[in-house]
Amino acid sequence: TLSSEIPSGSVYILSEEDYLSYRELYQLISHGLYSSSLGMVSLPKWLLLGGIHTTNYLYSLRGREYFFKPWMVDFSLLRYCFDTEKARKELGWRPRHSLRNYLGEILEGLKRDPKGWFTINNINL
């Protein structure tokens, strides 16, 4: 079997390689939901963090939890781009899906049943 052929401790990155910037992702989502690209507003990090902290606090007063957390801001500034060459060469692995191509289906599900979509994806508004 393949598992007996892989050396112990081997690490493989199994990811799509098509990197979508936040700007591209925003444009694809706005176009998918509204059939046009909406303008994007960039905020300074300190203002964004203040807004998230304030919103989290206001939600907590109502006994609810806000989806966005302060730690997400630092992660949003990172660029995740992966090299899957080792998995391709040694395992013959290739991604079968890409977010760019699958995003339309995700957004159609959201438009079809917004409440159900948020529930399934564990997003409390």
Side-chain angles (χ1 to χ4, degrees), residues 56-122:
N56 271 294
Y57 174 73
L58 294 173
Y59 266 65
S60 71
L61 292 177
R62 296 179 13 210
R64 298 182 67 198
E65 189 172 331
Y66 187 53
F67 174 76
F68 292 103
K69 306 291 182 231
W71 60 264
M72 293 177 172
V73 173
D74 287 329
F75 279 96
S76 73
L77 301 173
L78 299 175
R79 180 176 178 200
Y80 297 100
C81 196
F82 301 106
D83 180 2
T84 62
E85 185 175 345
K86 181 179 175 184
R88 279 197 317 270
K89 284 183 177 178
E90 295 181 17
L91 305 176
W93 181 88
R94 294 199 186 296
R96 291 183 287 160
H97 305 283
S98 78
L99 180 58
R100 184 183 304 277
N101 295 330
Y102 188 60
L103 190 57
E105 287 183 48
I106 295 170
L107 297 175
E108 284 304 315
L110 171 60
K111 289 192 292 189
R112 196 171 35 255
D113 179 14
K115 186 176 180 183
W117 191 92
F118 282 103
T119 301
I120 288 169
N121 290 287
N122 198 28

Side-chain angles (χ1 to χ4, degrees), residues 20-30 99 103:
L20 283 173
S21 69
Y22 281 104
R23 181 171 300 284
E24 285 179 285
L25 190 57
Y26 179 84
Q27 290 170 343
L28 288 169
I29 291 170
S30 65
L99 180 58
L103 190 57

